[in-house]
Coordinates of all heavy atoms in Angstrom, one line a residue:
M300 N -19.1 -25.6 35.0 CA -18.6 -26.0 33.6 C -17.2 -25.5 33.3 O -17.0 -24.3 33.4 CB -19.6 -25.4 32.6 CG -19.8 -26.3 31.4 SD -21.2 -25.8 30.4 CE -20.3 -24.6 29.4
T301 N -16.4 -26.4 33.0 CA -15.0 -26.0 32.7 C -14.7 -26.3 31.3 O -14.9 -27.4 30.8 CB -14.0 -26.7 33.7 OG1 -14.4 -28.1 33.8 CG2 -14.0 -26.1 35.0
K302 N -14.1 -25.3 30.7 CA -13.7 -25.5 29.3 C -12.2 -25.8 29.3 O -11.4 -25.1 29.9 CB -14.0 -24.3 28.5 CG -15.3 -24.3 27.8 CD -15.4 -23.2 26.8 CE -16.7 -23.3 26.0 NZ -16.9 -22.1 25.2
K303 N -11.9 -26.8 28.6 CA -10.4 -27.1 28.5 C -9.8 -26.2 27.4 O -10.3 -26.0 26.4 CB -10.2 -28.6 28.2 CG -9.6 -29.3 29.3 CD -9.0 -30.6 28.9 CE -8.1 -31.2 30.0 NZ -7.6 -32.5 29.7
Y304 N -8.6 -25.8 27.8 CA -7.9 -24.9 26.8 C -7.3 -25.7 25.8 O -6.4 -26.6 26.1 CB -6.9 -24.1 27.6 CG -6.6 -22.8 27.0 CD1 -7.5 -21.8 26.9 CD2 -5.3 -22.5 26.4 CE1 -7.2 -20.5 26.3 CE2 -5.0 -21.3 25.9 CZ -6.0 -20.3 25.8 OH -5.7 -19.1 25.2
Q305 N -7.6 -25.6 24.6 CA -7.0 -26.4 23.5 C -5.8 -25.7 22.9 O -5.9 -24.7 22.4 CB -8.0 -26.6 22.4 CG -9.2 -27.4 22.9 CD -10.0 -28.0 21.8 OE1 -10.0 -27.6 20.7 NE2 -10.8 -29.1 22.1
T306 N -4.7 -26.4 23.1 CA -3.5 -25.8 22.6 C -3.0 -26.5 21.3 O -2.2 -26.0 20.6 CB -2.3 -26.0 23.6 OG1 -2.3 -27.3 24.1 CG2 -2.5 -25.1 24.8
H307 N -3.6 -27.6 21.0 CA -3.1 -28.3 19.8 C -3.8 -27.9 18.5 O -3.5 -28.4 17.4 CB -3.3 -29.8 19.9 CG -4.6 -30.3 20.4 ND1 -5.0 -30.2 21.7 CD2 -5.6 -30.8 19.7 CE1 -6.3 -30.6 21.8 NE2 -6.7 -31.0 20.6
H308 N -4.7 -26.9 18.6 CA -5.3 -26.4 17.3 C -5.1 -24.9 17.2 O -5.8 -24.2 16.5 CB -6.9 -26.6 17.4 CG -7.2 -28.0 17.2 ND1 -8.2 -28.6 17.8 CD2 -6.7 -28.9 16.3 CE1 -8.4 -29.9 17.4 NE2 -7.4 -30.1 16.5
V309 N -4.0 -24.5 17.7 CA -3.6 -23.1 17.8 C -3.6 -22.5 16.4 O -4.1 -21.4 16.1 CB -2.2 -22.9 18.4 CG1 -1.7 -21.5 18.1 CG2 -2.4 -23.0 19.9
K310 N -3.1 -23.2 15.4 CA -2.9 -22.6 14.0 C -4.3 -22.4 13.4 O -4.3 -21.6 12.4 CB -2.1 -23.6 13.2 CG -0.6 -23.4 13.4 CD 0.2 -24.3 12.6 CE 1.7 -24.2 12.9 NZ 2.5 -25.2 12.4
E311 N -5.4 -23.0 13.8 CA -6.6 -22.8 13.2 C -7.3 -21.5 13.7 O -8.2 -21.0 13.1 CB -7.5 -24.0 13.5 CG -7.1 -25.2 12.7 CD -7.9 -26.5 13.2 OE1 -8.9 -26.3 13.8 OE2 -7.4 -27.6 12.9
H312 N -6.8 -21.0 14.7 CA -7.4 -19.8 15.3 C -6.7 -18.5 14.7 O -5.5 -18.5 14.4 CB -7.2 -19.7 16.8 CG -8.0 -20.7 17.5 ND1 -9.4 -20.7 17.7 CD2 -7.6 -21.9 18.1 CE1 -9.8 -21.7 18.3 NE2 -8.7 -22.5 18.6
K313 N -7.5 -17.6 14.4 CA -6.9 -16.3 14.0 C -6.3 -15.6 15.2 O -7.1 -15.2 16.1 CB -8.0 -15.4 13.3 CG -8.1 -15.7 11.8 CD -8.9 -14.6 11.1 CE -8.9 -14.9 9.6 NZ -9.8 -14.0 8.9
K314 N -5.1 -15.4 15.1 CA -4.4 -14.8 16.3 C -3.9 -13.4 15.9 O -3.6 -13.2 14.7 CB -3.3 -15.7 16.8 CG -3.9 -16.9 17.5 CD -3.0 -17.4 18.6 CE -1.7 -18.1 18.0 NZ -0.9 -18.5 19.1
Q315 N -3.8 -12.6 16.9 CA -3.2 -11.3 16.7 C -2.2 -11.1 17.7 O -2.1 -11.7 18.7 CB -4.3 -10.2 16.8 CG -5.3 -10.2 15.6 CD -6.2 -9.1 15.6 OE1 -6.8 -8.8 16.7 NE2 -6.4 -8.3 14.5
Q316 N -1.4 -10.1 17.4 CA -0.4 -9.7 18.4 C -0.2 -8.2 18.3 O -0.7 -7.5 17.4 CB 0.9 -10.4 18.1 CG 1.6 -10.1 16.8 CD 2.7 -11.0 16.4 OE1 2.5 -12.2 16.5 NE2 3.8 -10.5 16.0
H317 N 0.4 -7.6 19.3 CA 0.6 -6.2 19.3 C 2.0 -5.8 18.7 O 3.0 -6.5 18.9 CB 0.6 -5.7 20.8 CG -0.7 -5.7 21.4 ND1 -1.7 -4.8 21.2 CD2 -1.2 -6.6 22.3 CE1 -2.7 -5.1 21.9 NE2 -2.5 -6.2 22.6
C318 N 2.0 -4.7 18.0 CA 3.3 -4.1 17.6 C 4.0 -3.6 18.9 O 3.3 -2.9 19.7 CB 3.0 -2.9 16.7 SG 4.5 -2.0 16.4
P319 N 5.2 -4.0 19.1 CA 5.9 -3.7 20.3 C 6.2 -2.1 20.5 O 6.5 -1.7 21.6 CB 7.2 -4.5 20.3 CG 7.4 -4.7 18.8 CD 6.1 -4.8 18.2
T320 N 6.1 -1.4 19.4 CA 6.5 0.0 19.5 C 5.3 0.9 19.4 O 5.3 2.1 19.9 CB 7.5 0.5 18.5 OG1 7.1 0.1 17.2 CG2 8.9 -0.2 18.8
C321 N 4.2 0.5 18.9 CA 3.0 1.4 18.8 C 1.7 0.8 19.4 O 0.7 1.4 19.6 CB 2.7 1.9 17.4 SG 2.0 0.7 16.4
N322 N 1.8 -0.5 19.7 CA 0.8 -1.3 20.4 C -0.4 -1.6 19.5 O -1.5 -1.9 20.0 CB 0.3 -0.5 21.7 CG 0.1 -1.5 22.8 OD1 0.8 -2.5 22.9 ND2 -0.7 -1.1 23.8
R323 N -0.3 -1.3 18.2 CA -1.3 -1.6 17.3 C -1.5 -3.1 17.1 O -0.5 -3.8 17.2 CB -0.9 -1.0 15.9 CG -2.1 -0.6 15.0 CD -1.6 0.4 14.0 NE -0.6 -0.2 13.1 CZ -1.0 -0.7 11.9 NH1 -2.2 -0.6 11.5 NH2 -0.1 -1.2 11.1
Y324 N -2.7 -3.6 16.8 CA -2.9 -5.0 16.5 C -2.3 -5.3 15.2 O -2.6 -4.6 14.2 CB -4.4 -5.4 16.5 CG -5.0 -5.6 17.9 CD1 -5.9 -4.8 18.4 CD2 -4.5 -6.7 18.6 CE1 -6.5 -5.1 19.7 CE2 -5.0 -7.0 19.8 CZ -6.0 -6.2 20.4 OH -6.5 -6.5 21.6
I325 N -1.6 -6.4 15.1 CA -1.0 -6.8 13.8 C -1.2 -8.3 13.7 O -1.5 -9.0 14.6 CB 0.5 -6.4 13.7 CG1 1.3 -6.8 15.0 CG2 0.6 -4.9 13.4 CD1 2.7 -6.6 14.9
K326 N -1.0 -8.7 12.5 CA -1.2 -10.2 12.2 C -0.2 -11.0 13.0 O 1.0 -10.7 13.1 CB -0.9 -10.4 10.7 CG -1.8 -11.4 10.1 CD -1.6 -11.5 8.6 CE -1.2 -12.9 8.2 NZ -0.5 -12.9 6.9
H327 N -0.7 -12.0 13.5 CA 0.1 -12.9 14.3 C 1.2 -13.6 13.5 O 0.9 -14.0 12.4 CB -0.7 -14.0 15.0 CG 0.1 -14.9 15.8 ND1 0.8 -14.6 16.9 CD2 0.3 -16.3 15.6 CE1 1.4 -15.6 17.4 NE2 1.2 -16.7 16.6
N328 N 2.4 -13.7 14.0 CA 3.5 -14.4 13.3 C 4.2 -15.3 14.3 O 4.8 -14.8 15.3 CB 4.4 -13.3 12.7 CG 5.5 -14.0 11.8 OD1 6.2 -14.9 12.3 ND2 5.6 -13.6 10.6
E329 N 4.0 -16.5 14.1 CA 4.6 -17.5 15.0 C 6.1 -17.4 15.2 O 6.7 -17.4 16.2 CB 4.3 -18.9 14.5 CG 4.1 -19.8 15.7 CD 2.9 -20.7 15.4 OE1 1.8 -20.2 15.2 OE2 3.0 -21.9 15.4
R330 N 6.8 -17.1 14.0 CA 8.2 -17.0 14.1 C 8.7 -15.7 14.7 O 9.7 -15.7 15.3 CB 8.8 -17.1 12.6 CG 10.2 -17.2 12.6 CD 10.7 -17.5 11.2 NE 10.2 -18.8 10.7 CZ 11.0 -20.0 10.9 NH1 12.2 -19.9 11.4 NH2 10.6 -21.1 10.5
Y331 N 7.9 -14.6 14.5 CA 8.3 -13.3 15.0 C 7.2 -12.8 15.9 O 6.4 -12.0 15.4 CB 8.6 -12.3 13.9 CG 9.7 -12.9 12.9 CD1 9.3 -13.1 11.6 CD2 11.0 -13.1 13.3 CE1 10.3 -13.6 10.7 CE2 11.9 -13.6 12.4 CZ 11.6 -13.8 11.1 OH 12.5 -14.3 10.2
P332 N 7.1 -13.2 17.1 CA 6.0 -12.8 17.9 C 6.1 -11.3 18.4 O 5.2 -10.8 19.0 CB 6.0 -13.8 19.1 CG 7.4 -14.2 19.1 CD 8.0 -14.2 17.7
D333 N 7.2 -10.7 18.1 CA 7.4 -9.3 18.6 C 7.8 -8.4 17.4 O 8.5 -7.4 17.6 CB 8.4 -9.3 19.7 CG 9.7 -9.9 19.3 OD1 9.8 -10.4 18.2 OD2 10.6 -9.9 20.1
Y334 N 7.4 -8.7 16.1 CA 7.9 -7.9 15.1 C 7.2 -6.5 15.1 O 6.1 -6.4 15.6 CB 7.8 -8.6 13.7 CG 6.3 -8.7 13.2 CD1 5.9 -7.7 12.3 CD2 5.5 -9.7 13.5 CE1 4.6 -7.8 11.8 CE2 4.2 -9.8 13.0 CZ 3.8 -8.8 12.1 OH 2.5 -8.8 11.7
V335 N 7.9 -5.5 14.5 CA 7.4 -4.2 14.5 C 6.5 -4.0 13.2 O 6.9 -4.5 12.1 CB 8.6 -3.2 14.5 CG1 8.2 -1.8 14.0 CG2 9.2 -3.2 15.9
C336 N 5.4 -3.2 13.3 CA 4.5 -3.1 12.2 C 5.0 -2.2 11.1 O 6.0 -1.5 11.3 CB 3.1 -2.6 12.8 SG 3.1 -0.8 13.1
N337 N 4.3 -2.2 10.0 CA 4.8 -1.5 8.8 C 4.9 0.0 9.1 O 5.7 0.7 8.6 CB 3.9 -1.7 7.6 CG 4.1 -3.1 7.0 OD1 5.2 -3.7 7.2 ND2 3.1 -3.6 6.4
K338 N 3.9 0.5 9.9 CA 3.9 1.9 10.2 C 5.1 2.4 10.9 O 5.7 3.4 10.7 CB 2.6 2.3 10.9 CG 1.4 2.6 10.1 CD 0.3 3.2 10.9 CE -0.9 3.5 10.0 NZ -2.0 4.1 10.8
C339 N 5.5 1.5 11.9 CA 6.7 1.9 12.7 C 7.9 1.7 11.8 O 9.0 2.3 12.1 CB 6.7 1.0 13.9 SG 5.4 1.4 15.1
M340 N 7.9 0.8 10.8 CA 9.1 0.7 10.0 C 9.4 1.9 9.1 O 10.4 2.1 8.6 CB 8.9 -0.6 9.1 CG 9.2 -1.8 9.9 SD 9.1 -3.3 8.9 CE 10.6 -3.4 8.0
D341 N 8.4 2.8 9.1 CA 8.6 4.1 8.4 C 9.2 5.1 9.3 O 9.6 6.3 8.8 CB 7.2 4.7 7.9 CG 6.7 3.9 6.8 OD1 7.5 3.2 6.1 OD2 5.5 3.9 6.5
V342 N 9.4 4.9 10.6 CA 9.9 5.9 11.5 C 11.1 5.4 12.2 O 11.4 5.8 13.4 CB 8.8 6.3 12.5 CG1 7.7 7.1 11.8 CG2 8.3 5.2 13.3
I343 N 11.9 4.6 11.5 CA 13.2 4.0 12.1 C 14.2 5.1 12.1 O 14.3 5.9 11.2 CB 13.7 2.8 11.3 CG1 12.6 1.8 11.2 CG2 14.9 2.2 12.0 CD1 12.9 0.7 10.2
A344 N 14.9 5.2 13.2 CA 16.0 6.3 13.3 C 17.2 5.7 13.9 O 17.2 4.6 14.6 CB 15.5 7.4 14.1
D345 N 18.4 6.4 13.7 CA 19.6 6.0 14.4 C 19.6 6.6 15.8 O 18.6 7.3 16.2 CB 20.8 6.4 13.6 CG 21.1 7.8 13.6 OD1 20.3 8.6 14.1 OD2 22.1 8.2 13.0
K346 N 20.7 6.4 16.5 CA 20.7 6.9 17.9 C 20.5 8.4 18.0 O 20.0 8.9 19.0 CB 22.1 6.5 18.5 CG 22.1 6.3 19.9 CD 23.4 5.8 20.4 CE 23.4 5.6 21.9 NZ 24.6 5.1 22.4
A347 N 21.0 9.1 16.9 CA 20.9 10.6 17.0 C 19.5 11.1 16.4 O 19.2 12.2 16.5 CB 22.0 11.1 16.2
G348 N 18.7 10.1 16.0 CA 17.3 10.5 15.5 C 17.2 10.7 14.0 O 16.2 11.2 13.5
S349 N 18.3 10.4 13.3 CA 18.3 10.6 11.8 C 17.5 9.4 11.2 O 17.8 8.2 11.6 CB 19.7 10.6 11.2 OG 20.4 11.7 11.7
P350 N 16.6 9.6 10.3 CA 15.8 8.5 9.8 C 16.6 7.5 8.9 O 17.4 8.0 8.1 CB 14.7 9.2 8.9 CG 15.2 10.6 8.7 CD 16.2 10.9 9.8
V351 N 16.4 6.3 9.2 CA 17.1 5.2 8.5 C 16.1 4.2 8.0 O 15.0 4.2 8.5 CB 18.2 4.5 9.3 CG1 19.4 5.5 9.6 CG2 17.7 3.9 10.5
M352 N 16.5 3.4 7.0 CA 15.6 2.3 6.5 C 16.5 1.1 6.3 O 17.7 1.2 6.1 CB 14.9 2.7 5.3 CG 15.8 3.1 4.1 SD 14.9 3.2 2.5 CE 14.5 1.4 2.3
F353 N 15.9 0.0 6.2 CA 16.6 -1.3 6.0 C 16.0 -2.0 4.7 O 14.8 -1.9 4.5 CB 16.5 -2.2 7.2 CG 17.3 -1.7 8.4 CD1 16.7 -1.0 9.4 CD2 18.6 -1.9 8.5 CE1 17.4 -0.5 10.5 CE2 19.3 -1.4 9.6 CZ 18.7 -0.7 10.6
Y354 N 16.9 -2.6 4.0 CA 16.4 -3.3 2.8 C 17.2 -4.5 2.5 O 18.3 -4.7 3.1 CB 16.5 -2.3 1.6 CG 17.8 -1.7 1.3 CD1 18.7 -2.3 0.4 CD2 18.3 -0.6 2.1 CE1 20.0 -1.8 0.2 CE2 19.6 -0.1 1.9 CZ 20.4 -0.7 0.9 OH 21.7 -0.2 0.7
N355 N 16.7 -5.4 1.7 CA 17.4 -6.6 1.3 C 18.5 -6.3 0.4 O 18.4 -5.4 -0.4 CB 16.5 -7.6 0.7 CG 15.5 -8.2 1.7 OD1 14.3 -8.2 1.4 ND2 16.0 -8.7 2.8
I356 N 19.6 -7.0 0.5 CA 20.7 -6.8 -0.4 C 20.5 -7.4 -1.8 O 20.8 -6.9 -2.8 CB 22.1 -7.3 0.3 CG1 22.4 -6.5 1.5 CG2 23.2 -7.3 -0.7 CD1 23.3 -7.1 2.4
T357 N 19.9 -8.6 -1.8 CA 19.6 -9.2 -3.1 C 18.2 -9.1 -3.4 O 17.3 -8.9 -2.6 CB 20.0 -10.7 -3.0 OG1 19.1 -11.4 -2.0 CG2 21.4 -10.9 -2.6
N358 N 17.9 -9.3 -4.7 CA 16.5 -9.1 -5.2 C 15.6 -10.2 -4.7 O 14.4 -10.0 -4.7 CB 16.5 -9.1 -6.7 CG 17.0 -7.8 -7.3 OD1 16.9 -6.7 -6.6 ND2 17.5 -7.8 -8.5
D359 N 16.1 -11.4 -4.3 CA 15.3 -12.4 -3.9 C 15.1 -12.4 -2.3 O 14.6 -13.3 -1.7 CB 15.8 -13.8 -4.3 CG 17.2 -14.0 -3.8 OD1 17.8 -13.1 -3.3 OD2 17.7 -15.2 -4.0
G360 N 15.4 -11.3 -1.8 CA 15.0 -11.0 -0.4 C 16.0 -11.5 0.7 O 15.6 -11.7 1.8
H361 N 17.2 -11.5 0.3 CA 18.2 -11.9 1.3 C 19.1 -10.7 1.7 O 19.3 -9.8 1.0 CB 19.1 -13.1 0.8 CG 18.3 -14.3 0.7 ND1 17.8 -15.0 1.8 CD2 17.8 -15.0 -0.4 CE1 17.1 -16.1 1.4 NE2 17.1 -16.1 0.1
G362 N 19.7 -10.9 2.9 CA 20.6 -9.8 3.4 C 19.9 -8.7 4.0 O 18.7 -8.5 3.7
C363 N 20.5 -7.9 4.8 CA 19.9 -6.8 5.4 C 20.9 -5.6 5.5 O 21.9 -5.8 6.1 CB 19.4 -7.2 6.8 SG 18.6 -5.8 7.7
Q364 N 20.5 -4.6 4.9 CA 21.4 -3.4 4.8 C 20.6 -2.2 5.2 O 19.5 -2.0 4.8 CB 22.0 -3.2 3.4 CG 22.8 -2.0 3.2 CD 24.1 -2.0 4.0 OE1 24.9 -2.9 3.9 NE2 24.2 -1.0 4.9
G365 N 21.2 -1.3 6.0 CA 20.6 -0.1 6.4 C 21.2 1.1 5.6 O 22.3 1.1 5.2
K366 N 20.3 2.1 5.5 CA 20.9 3.4 4.9 C 20.1 4.6 5.4 O 19.0 4.4 5.9 CB 20.8 3.3 3.4 CG 19.4 3.4 2.8 CD 19.5 3.7 1.3 CE 18.1 3.9 0.7 NZ 18.1 4.0 -0.7
Y367 N 20.8 5.7 5.4 CA 20.1 6.9 5.8 C 19.2 7.4 4.7 O 19.6 7.4 3.5 CB 21.2 8.0 6.1 CG 21.9 7.8 7.4 CD1 23.1 7.2 7.4 CD2 21.3 8.2 8.6 CE1 23.8 7.0 8.7 CE2 21.9 7.9 9.8 CZ 23.2 7.3 9.8 OH 23.8 7.1 11.0
I368 N 18.0 7.8 5.1 CA 17.0 8.1 4.1 C 17.4 9.5 3.5 O 17.2 9.7 2.3 CB 15.6 8.2 4.7 CG1 15.1 6.8 5.1 CG2 14.6 8.8 3.8 CD1 13.9 6.7 5.9
E369 N 17.9 10.4 4.3 CA 18.2 11.8 3.8 C 19.3 11.8 2.7 O 19.1 12.4 1.7 CB 18.6 12.7 4.9 CG 17.3 13.2 5.6 CD 17.6 13.8 7.0 OE1 18.7 14.2 7.3 OE2 16.6 14.0 7.7
D370 N 20.4 11.1 2.9 CA 21.5 11.2 1.9 C 21.9 9.9 1.3 O 22.8 9.8 0.5 CB 22.7 11.9 2.5 CG 23.2 11.2 3.8 OD1 22.7 10.1 4.1 OD2 24.0 11.7 4.5
G371 N 21.2 8.8 1.7 CA 21.4 7.5 1.0 C 22.7 6.9 1.5 O 23.1 5.8 1.0
K372 N 23.4 7.4 2.5 CA 24.6 6.9 3.0 C 24.3 5.6 3.7 O 23.3 5.4 4.4 CB 25.3 7.8 4.0 CG 26.2 8.8 3.3 CD 26.9 9.6 4.4 CE 27.7 10.7 3.7 NZ 28.1 11.8 4.7
L373 N 25.2 4.6 3.6 CA 25.0 3.3 4.3 C 25.0 3.5 5.8 O 25.8 4.2 6.4 CB 26.1 2.3 3.9 CG 26.1 1.8 2.5 CD1 27.2 0.8 2.3 CD2 24.8 1.3 2.1
Y374 N 24.1 2.8 6.5 CA 24.0 2.7 7.9 C 24.6 1.4 8.3 O 24.0 0.4 8.1 CB 22.6 2.9 8.3 CG 22.3 2.9 9.8 CD1 23.0 3.8 10.6 CD2 21.5 1.9 10.3 CE1 22.7 3.8 12.0 CE2 21.2 1.9 11.7 CZ 21.9 2.8 12.5 OH 21.6 2.8 13.9
R375 N 25.8 1.4 8.9 CA 26.5 0.1 9.1 C 26.2 -0.5 10.5 O 27.1 -0.7 11.3 CB 28.0 0.3 8.9 CG 28.4 0.8 7.6 CD 29.9 0.9 7.4 NE 30.2 1.6 6.1 CZ 30.1 1.0 5.0 NH1 29.8 -0.3 4.9 NH2 30.4 1.7 3.9
S376 N 24.9 -0.7 10.7 CA 24.5 -1.3 12.0 C 23.1 -1.9 11.7 O 22.4 -1.5 10.9 CB 24.5 -0.3 13.1 OG 23.9 -0.9 14.3
S377 N 22.8 -2.9 12.5 CA 21.4 -3.4 12.4 C 20.6 -2.9 13.6 O 19.4 -3.1 13.7 CB 21.4 -5.0 12.4 OG 22.1 -5.4 13.6
R378 N 21.3 -2.1 14.4 CA 20.6 -1.5 15.6 C 19.9 -0.3 15.2 O 20.4 0.5 14.4 CB 21.5 -1.2 16.7 CG 22.3 -2.5 17.1 CD 22.4 -2.6 18.6 NE 23.0 -3.9 18.9 CZ 23.9 -4.0 19.9 NH1 24.2 -3.0 20.7 NH2 24.4 -5.2 20.2
C379 N 18.7 0.0 15.7 CA 18.0 1.2 15.4 C 17.1 1.5 16.5 O 16.9 0.8 17.5 CB 17.3 1.0 14.1 SG 16.2 -0.4 14.1
F380 N 16.4 2.7 16.3 CA 15.5 3.1 17.4 C 14.1 3.4 16.7 O 14.1 4.0 15.7 CB 16.0 4.4 18.1 CG 17.2 4.1 19.0 CD1 18.4 4.0 18.4 CD2 17.0 3.8 20.3 CE1 19.6 3.7 19.2 CE2 18.1 3.5 21.1 CZ 19.4 3.4 20.6
I381 N 13.1 3.0 17.4 CA 11.7 3.3 16.9 C 11.0 3.9 18.1 O 10.8 3.2 19.1 CB 11.0 2.1 16.4 CG1 11.7 1.6 15.1 CG2 9.5 2.5 16.0 CD1 11.1 0.3 14.5
K382 N 10.7 5.2 18.0 CA 10.0 5.8 19.2 C 10.7 5.6 20.5 O 10.1 5.4 21.5 CB 8.5 5.3 19.3 CG 7.8 5.6 18.0 CD 6.4 5.0 18.1 CE 5.6 5.3 16.8 NZ 4.3 4.8 16.8
G383 N 12.1 5.6 20.4 CA 12.9 5.5 21.6 C 13.1 4.1 22.0 O 13.8 3.9 23.0
V384 N 12.5 3.1 21.3 CA 12.7 1.7 21.7 C 13.9 1.2 20.8 O 13.9 1.3 19.6 CB 11.4 0.9 21.4 CG1 11.7 -0.6 21.7 CG2 10.2 1.4 22.1
K385 N 14.8 0.6 21.6 CA 16.0 0.0 20.9 C 15.6 -1.2 20.1 O 15.0 -2.1 20.7 CB 17.0 -0.3 21.9 CG 18.4 -0.3 21.4 CD 19.3 -0.7 22.6 CE 20.8 -0.4 22.3 NZ 21.6 -0.7 23.4
C386 N 15.9 -1.3 18.8 CA 15.4 -2.4 18.0 C 16.6 -2.9 17.2 O 17.7 -2.2 17.1 CB 14.3 -2.0 17.0 SG 12.8 -1.4 17.9
F387 N 16.4 -4.0 16.5 CA 17.4 -4.5 15.6 C 16.7 -5.0 14.3 O 15.6 -5.5 14.4 CB 18.4 -5.5 16.2 CG 17.7 -6.8 16.5 CD1 17.7 -7.9 15.6 CD2 17.0 -7.0 17.7 CE1 17.2 -9.1 15.9 CE2 16.3 -8.2 18.0 CZ 16.4 -9.2 17.1
A388 N 17.4 -4.9 13.2 CA 16.8 -5.3 11.9 C 17.5 -6.5 11.5 O 18.7 -6.8 11.8 CB 17.0 -4.2 10.9
G389 N 16.8 -7.4 10.8 CA 17.3 -8.6 10.2 C 16.6 -9.1 9.0 O 15.5 -8.6 8.7
E390 N 17.2 -10.0 8.3 CA 16.5 -10.6 7.2 C 15.5 -11.5 7.7 O 15.6 -12.3 8.6 CB 17.6 -11.4 6.5 CG 17.1 -12.2 5.3 CD 18.2 -13.2 4.8 OE1 19.4 -12.9 5.0 OE2 17.8 -14.2 4.3
A391 N 14.3 -11.3 7.1 CA 13.2 -12.2 7.5 C 13.2 -13.5 6.9 O 13.8 -13.7 5.8 CB 11.8 -11.5 7.1
Y392 N 12.6 -14.5 7.5 CA 12.7 -15.9 7.1 C 12.2 -16.1 5.7 O 12.8 -16.8 4.9 CB 12.0 -16.8 8.1 CG 12.1 -18.2 7.8 CD1 13.3 -18.9 8.0 CD2 11.0 -19.0 7.3 CE1 13.4 -20.3 7.8 CE2 11.1 -20.3 7.1 CZ 12.3 -21.0 7.3 OH 12.4 -22.3 7.1
F393 N 11.1 -15.4 5.4 CA 10.5 -15.6 4.0 C 10.9 -14.4 3.1 O 10.2 -14.2 2.1 CB 9.0 -15.7 4.1 CG 8.6 -16.9 4.8 CD1 7.9 -17.0 6.0 CD2 8.7 -18.2 4.1 CE1 7.5 -18.1 6.6 CE2 8.3 -19.3 4.7 CZ 7.7 -19.3 5.9
G394 N 12.0 -13.8 3.4 CA 12.4 -12.6 2.6 C 11.9 -11.3 3.2 O 10.9 -11.3 4.0
G395 N 12.5 -10.2 2.8 CA 12.1 -9.0 3.4 C 12.8 -8.7 4.7 O 13.8 -9.4 5.0
I396 N 12.4 -7.7 5.4 CA 13.1 -7.3 6.6 C 12.2 -7.4 7.8 O 11.0 -7.1 7.7 CB 13.5 -5.8 6.4 CG1 14.5 -5.6 5.2 CG2 14.1 -5.2 7.7 CD1 15.8 -6.3 5.4
V397 N 12.7 -7.8 8.9 CA 11.9 -7.8 10.1 C 12.7 -7.0 11.1 O 13.9 -7.1 11.3 CB 11.6 -9.2 10.5 CG1 12.8 -10.0 10.9 CG2 10.6 -9.3 11.7
I398 N 11.9 -6.2 11.8 CA 12.5 -5.4 12.9 C 11.9 -5.8 14.2 O 10.7 -5.9 14.3 CB 12.2 -3.8 12.7 CG1 12.4 -3.4 11.3 CG2 13.0 -3.0 13.7 CD1 13.8 -2.9 10.9
R399 N 12.7 -6.0 15.2 CA 12.2 -6.4 16.5 C 13.0 -5.7 17.6 O 14.1 -5.2 17.4 CB 12.5 -8.0 16.7 CG 11.8 -8.8 15.6 CD 12.4 -10.1 15.4 NE 12.0 -11.0 16.5 CZ 12.5 -12.2 16.7 NH1 13.5 -12.6 16.0 NH2 12.1 -12.9 17.7
P400 N 12.3 -5.5 18.7 CA 13.0 -4.8 19.8 C 14.2 -5.6 20.3 O 14.2 -6.8 20.4 CB 11.9 -4.8 20.9 CG 10.7 -5.4 20.4 CD 11.0 -6.0 19.1
Q401 N 15.2 -4.9 20.7 CA 16.4 -5.5 21.3 C 16.1 -5.9 22.7 O 15.6 -5.1 23.5 CB 17.5 -4.5 21.2 CG 18.9 -5.0 21.7 CD 19.7 -5.5 20.5 OE1 19.9 -4.8 19.5 NE2 20.1 -6.8 20.6
K402 N 16.4 -7.1 23.1 CA 16.1 -7.5 24.4 C 17.4 -7.7 25.2 O 18.5 -7.9 24.7 CB 15.3 -8.8 24.4 CG 14.0 -8.5 23.9 CD 12.9 -9.5 24.2 CE 11.6 -9.0 23.8 NZ 10.8 -10.1 23.2
Ligands
ZN764 ZN1 3.8 -0.2 15.2

């Protein structure tokens, strides 16, 4: 008995994916198949290990700006590190911030 793999009903299936930096199961996202989970977004750091965070520049969820959590200074890069994995931050398609590993 052979079951045919159905690829045309993919959207009806509940899919999951792994967070690339902690390997936790997270909700599947077709547009961002390698986005970093919320927990890991709390432990973003710069190259030297100082905690940074990213946020939208406008209230309607556009733009991406980083800042240092400790002193609020602007972090002028979209590159960051999560648990030693080089990542980059960007504006998410539906608003908000999405962090993904740098490839
Ligand atoms: Zn994670």
